[in-house]
Structures are given as structure tokens and as C-alpha cells.
Amino acid sequence: MCPHPTCPVPGVPGVSVPCVPTPSIPHVLVPGSLSLRVPIPNLPGHPGVPASGVPIPSQHPSFQSSRVPSAPDPGVPGVPTSPNVPVFSLPGVPVPSVTAVLISCYPRSRCPDPGVPAILVHPCSHPTGTPHLSHPNSFSLQVVGQSPQNPPPKSAPRRMAMWLGALLDTLPTPALTIDRTVARRNAERMRERCQTLGVRLRPHVKTHKTLEGGLLATGGTRRGIVVSTLAEARFFADGGFDDILLAYPLPTTRLEECAGLAQRLDAFHVLLDHPEALASLQRRPLAHGKRWLVWLKLDCGNGRAGMRPTDPAALELARAIANDAPEEVTLVGVYAHCGNTYGCSGADAIQGIARTTTNAVLRFVAALREAGVPCPHASIGSTPSCSHPIPEMSQLTELHPGNYIFYDLQQTQLGSCQPQDVAIRVLTRVIGHYSHRGQLLVDCGWAALSLHGAGAGQGPQGCAVIDGHPELRLVGLTQEHGLLEHTDGQMDFGRFPVGSVLALIPYHACATAAMHPVYYVHEEGKVVALWHPVRGW
């Protein structure tokens, strides 16, 4: 953080953002990014450092000041709001395409790219791998644009930035909110569990699908994550993440996309469970001496993807991955998902399945080693099993939970967490009173919540509970509407006037988060950041 008392730069936790206060230069703002004080004469303009695909000229006056009418100020304390806020632009680069300023004075290997809320920052890397350069006592600046894989609407940064600093009950509803303090605590606890076990945490990012969530989950390292889609893999690679495992059966029809990521990243891992997938990799070798990094997927009772560890064909496939083309393919490890823990109730049942899965994986690895097949890594995961780890997990090398950063109603019902550990809510407004039915109408339908949880005869009330109001229950969901009733049928409409805001705790955070283009991240009742998830496959 900036040491200057009058220059409060809103940095990301754990990231030091230098700032040079200059009385003659006002704070400058790129819409939706950090508010920074930068001495223009010290702009480094290092040769060869790309900005939005446009080389920065070697002369210092490579940046010029422009203005964007009505650019929203982020509401940083001590920074006045102005209808016309200076922004940086490059000659030939239109101002609307400038969406963030990346501050970097670090080598590529430890670049702590601030991860500006609502801004997708491209990787901190020079095309040749050269470490970032920095000018003494100043910034190394890089202007970056929207990612082609996940571009928000052109008006999104300006429209969304106005909510920074807003009170939660002023947000447009339905709105997905994340308590940053709770999410950070959840991330820290999972890292501590893994440290205690002596295993590596490789967090799954499919729940939040955001760079900011990835930073929290990895403790800022940006290394060692699990993704479910190639869109996620590209998004996180663009955000400076590496050591990415695509935990999905190898999509052979999209092998060129996988190859591109494998060539681009230090480590891009794929997962397979069928000989034909291995043959596809062997027919498509990587260039420049790189090898495919492969995990064998095991099914230890979950009943989805993977080979049964007791199936002799699993041992043969592992042997083939390791030995058939060692210059082109490497067996990294075996991977199992404890998805069957989601059928449990209570920690004892969860730990029973975790123990069965762990032991099955360890027996398989032992059989491989007895057969002379090296298998460096063994990984299992699910949020329930990793929230109640068992001692046997210390014999594994990695765990890969994902939902834990948010948790949800389902996890509290399973016994994975306590209600105070749930970081996610969906805010909704009362939009109608229907006294003849004893019902409140709210503006949250299944399109903002999902219908997950409605099965097994639960109906809409299984999809969410109303935070702080156990006397209310959700009894109806259509696309954009929800209906609430009092459990005893006697609704006190005076307590819930039209326009009042209620918070829903969703049954499944992954499904609900997938319904929203932005997450309003808050602390102490105010929005402090906007997270934009990646979408698509």
C-alpha cells in the first residue's frame, strides 16, 4: 500500500502497490481500475514491453492524458469525484479500449499483478520471457484491454464501477454478493488444513471462475489450479496463472486448443481415462521439446468419469501413458473426485467416503510402483472431504476442493461448514404484496438462483433459505419471480414493505454463481470490489 497518508490506493490483500505522490499531478483513473497518482515524467516506456498489442515507444512521453466524460470515480476515501477524470491512453489506441493500468515492478516469476476488480488483466509476461523492467522510484505501466475470450459489454466497466463503495441495500437486484472477509477466511483455512497434512492444495476454480477468487485460493501465487473448461483455462492463463489442470476427460475434438495452452504455459495438465485419448495425444506431439502432462482419472465410487482402480485396464493405461512415448507424454499422477460425499449427512459419513477413496488411490499407486511405473502424484478432492480431512490424506500429494471458498446451503446441510462460513448471498427486493394469498413477490427467479436443490420433493424451498428470516420460505420460482410465504401462513406485510431487500442463501453456490455476470464483493456492508467471472466452454 502507498505509504503517503493522503494517497489511499485500494490494493488487493497481500499485494504491495507502490505509489508516488506528486502534488502537482492529480489522481488519474482508468474506469473500473485503481485510482493512482503517477508522475508523468517518470513513466518508463521501456522498449519491447507490449501494451494492448501496441509497442510502447522508447521515449518517456509515450503516454498522453485524455479525458472520459462522466468516468465514475471508485469512491476511494480522499479522492474527489470529478465529472471529467484524466486517463492514460496510447497514441493510436482509442480511449474506450483502455480498461486498466497494470502496475508491475517484479520479475515474471513473482509478478503480483494487482488483479483490479472488474478488470481482466493480461499475463504479466514479455514475449521473450524477459523479466519486467522498472524505472527507479516510479512505475512500469502497461495498458491492457478486454480479453477476446470473455469481453464484457463495452459499457460494463463504467456502469459497474459506480457501485464501488455502495451500500448493499442500494444495489440493483437480483445481485450476487460475496463477503470478502468470509471468503478469505475460508481460503486461509483450507490452505492451513493442507499444510497440516503436508500436501499441496490445488484449488478448483469452477465455483467462482474469477481471477480474484483464484488469487485468494492460491494465496497470491497464481500457480497450481484446477479448471473445468478450456474457457476457464484460457481466462486464467491470460490472468497470469500457470500450472493449470483441466480436470475433464480430454476433449479430443479440441486438441489444438489444449496444445496451444500446453505450449504457452510452463505446465498445462490434461486428464484422460481411455486409450483412444492417449492415442490422440501421441498423434499430436508438442513442439520445442515439451511433453503432454497427463493425469489418469480414477472412479473410486463417484460414478462419473474415470476408470475403476481395481480394473486391470486402468493399470495398463497408466503403464502406456508412462512408457509408450516418454519423449511426448508424461504420467504426472492419478486424480479422483469424491463426488459421492455429496450424498452424505455429517462429518463421519463424509470421512468414511474420503477414507475409502484415499485408500483406493493409494493402493493403485502402490500397484503401479510395484509394476515399475512411476507415478509422482496422487490427488483427491471435494469440498466435503477436504473440509473434514482424515489422517490418511497425508500420504497423498495434492487435494483439489473448490466450492469451499464460498460454501453454500448444501454444504451446511452436509456438515462441511457452519452457517457463518457461507460467503455467498443473492439479494432480492420485495416487489409486491398479495394478501389474499399471504405471499410476498420478489425479483429473484430461477434465472438468478438456479433450480438446484428443488429435487427430492423439496420444490422451490430447497433452492434457498432467507437469511435471518427462518419464518419465511421460498414457495415459488419462475424465471424472474419468486414467491415467499410465512411458515405459519400469517404474513406480516408491514415488516417487508415493497422495495425492502432480503438475502437468499443459495443451495449450490456453483450453480447460482453461473447465473451472474458480476459478483458484488463487500466488507462491512459496502461494496469493495467487483468480480467478473469467465463464461463459456
Side-chain angles (χ1 to χ4, degrees):
M1 303 298 290
C2 174
H4 194 274
T6 62
C7 184
V9 178
V12 172
V15 176
S16 176
V17 181
C19 186
V20 182
T22 304
S24 61
I25 306 295
H27 272 71
V28 295
L29 171 69
V30 175
S33 71
L34 295 177
S35 180
L36 303 172
R37 190 188 297 271
V38 182
I40 292 178
N42 285 338
L43 291 176
H46 294 299
V49 179
S52 293
V54 181
I56 299 178
S58 59
Q59 302 300 316
H60 282 326
S62 59
F63 284 85
Q64 62 186 20
S65 180
S66 300
R67 288 180 178 271
V68 176
S70 303
D73 190 283
V76 178
V79 180
T81 300
S82 171
N84 291 294
V85 185
V87 299
F88 287 122
S89 67
L90 283 173
V93 180
V95 169
S97 72
V98 178
T99 56
V101 174
L102 170 64
I103 312 155
S104 54
C105 301
Y106 299 83
R108 177 173 181 259
S109 61
R110 61 186 187 90
C111 178
D113 156 9
V116 181
I119 297 301
L120 178 57
V121 181
H122 283 264
C124 296
S125 60
H126 185 281
T128 63
T130 304
H132 277 286
L133 303 175
S134 62
H135 191 281
N137 301 317
S138 71
F139 292 108
S140 175
L141 297 179
Q142 191 175 7
V143 179
V144 297
Q146 305 290 357
S147 163
Q149 280 83 26
N150 190 46
K154 290 182 179 180
S155 61
R158 184 178 300 182
R159 184 181 71 249
M160 293 300 183
M162 67 180 291
W163 299 110
L164 290 168
L167 296 174
L168 292 182
D169 61 5
T170 66
L171 293 176
T173 51
L176 189 145
T177 67
I178 301 297
D179 187 319
R180 188 161 70 178
T181 300
V182 174
R184 184 184 296 121
R185 185 178 69 226
N186 292 340
E188 290 170 351
R189 284 179 177 173
M190 192 59 75
R191 289 198 301 272
E192 290 168 359
R193 291 186 187 109
C194 290
Q195 289 167 2
T196 299
L197 288 167
V199 301
R200 182 189 189 189
L201 172 63
R202 182 185 288 272
H204 208 310
V205 298
K206 73 179 183 68
T207 297
H208 55 85
K209 299 176 185 265
T210 64
L211 299 180
E212 297 87 350
L215 280 169
L216 284 182
T218 62
T221 68
R222 296 176 183 260
R223 289 193 66 85
I225 61 171
V226 182
V227 299
S228 284
T229 69
L230 285 170
E232 292 170 25
R234 290 191 302 267
F235 177 74
F236 281 90
D238 287 347
F241 284 73
D242 210 321
D243 192 0
I244 299 174
L245 167 60
L246 176 62
Y248 196 86
L250 180 70
T252 54
T253 59
R254 301 176 67 180
L255 198 57
E256 286 306 310
E257 295 176 64
C258 295
L261 286 161
Q263 294 286 173
R264 170 184 173 187
L265 298 172
D266 289 341
F268 176 69
H269 309 254
V270 296
L271 182 147
L272 56 81
D273 62 359
H274 208 277
E276 280 75 9
L278 175 60
S280 296
L281 296 180
Q282 293 169 342
R283 288 192 296 268
R284 205 309 185 181
L286 299 174
H288 308 300
K290 298 202 78 169
R291 291 179 290 181
W292 288 104
L293 304 178
V294 177
W295 294 67
L296 176 65
K297 178 65 182 290
L298 296 178
D299 177 7
C300 299
N302 185 41
R304 194 169 64 185
M307 304 185 76
R308 290 173 297 153
T310 55
D311 185 346
L315 184 62
E316 289 306 310
L317 181 55
R319 191 198 309 274
I321 296 169
N323 298 334
D324 280 6
E327 298 303 315
E328 298 170 358
V329 179
T330 295
L331 177 64
V332 178
V334 293
Y335 183 103
H337 175 51
C338 302
N340 41 340
T341 53
Y342 283 87
C344 294
S345 178
D348 290 344
I350 290 170
Q351 290 181 324
I353 288 178
R355 183 169 289 109
T356 298
T357 303
T358 300
N359 290 336
V361 168
L362 293 174
R363 284 193 299 269
F364 184 79
V365 171
L368 287 178
R369 291 171 180 165
E370 289 176 6
V373 179
C375 183
H377 296 288
S379 179
I380 74 164
S382 73
T383 285
S385 61
C386 296
S387 296
H388 295 291
I390 57 173
E392 292 91 330
M393 286 179 175
S394 63
Q395 300 174 64
L396 301 167
T397 59
E398 293 188 359
L399 298 179
H400 53 259
N403 175 280
Y404 70 92
I405 194 169
F406 289 169
Y407 282 123
D408 50 32
L409 177 60
Q410 178 180 214
Q411 299 292 348
T412 61
Q413 293 173 346
L414 291 172
S416 304
C417 67
Q418 297 300 312
Q420 62 269 24
D421 299 323
V422 180
I424 187 171
R425 301 288 190 278
V426 176
L427 302 187
T428 183
R429 274 188 171 78
V430 176
I431 58 173
H433 290 169
Y434 297 88
S435 56
H436 63 288
R437 300 196 307 260
Q439 292 179 334
L440 300 174
L441 186 67
V442 295
D443 63 1
C444 176
W446 55 255
L449 192 61
S450 96
L451 288 171
H452 203 182
Q458 288 293 307
Q461 65 181 344
C463 300
V465 296
I466 296 84
D467 191 19
H469 293 284
E471 75 280 10
L472 299 181
R473 63 181 179 181
L474 184 63
V475 296
L477 279 175
T478 55
Q479 184 167 333
E480 306 295 350
H481 302 80
L483 290 171
L484 304 181
E485 289 182 354
H486 197 285
T487 53
D488 67 5
Q490 302 299 314
M491 179 68 73
D492 182 356
F493 291 98
R495 290 187 60 198
F496 308 103
V498 171
S500 57
V501 176
L502 296 169
L504 306 180
I505 303 175
Y507 178 80
H508 189 187
C510 307
T512 298
M515 303 289 182
H516 292 262
V518 61
Y519 311 156
Y520 297 90
V521 182
H522 63 92
E523 287 183 348
E524 298 180 354
K526 290 186 178 180
V527 176
V528 295
L530 303 172
W531 294 3
H532 287 268
V534 66
R535 291 291 178 250
W537 289 271

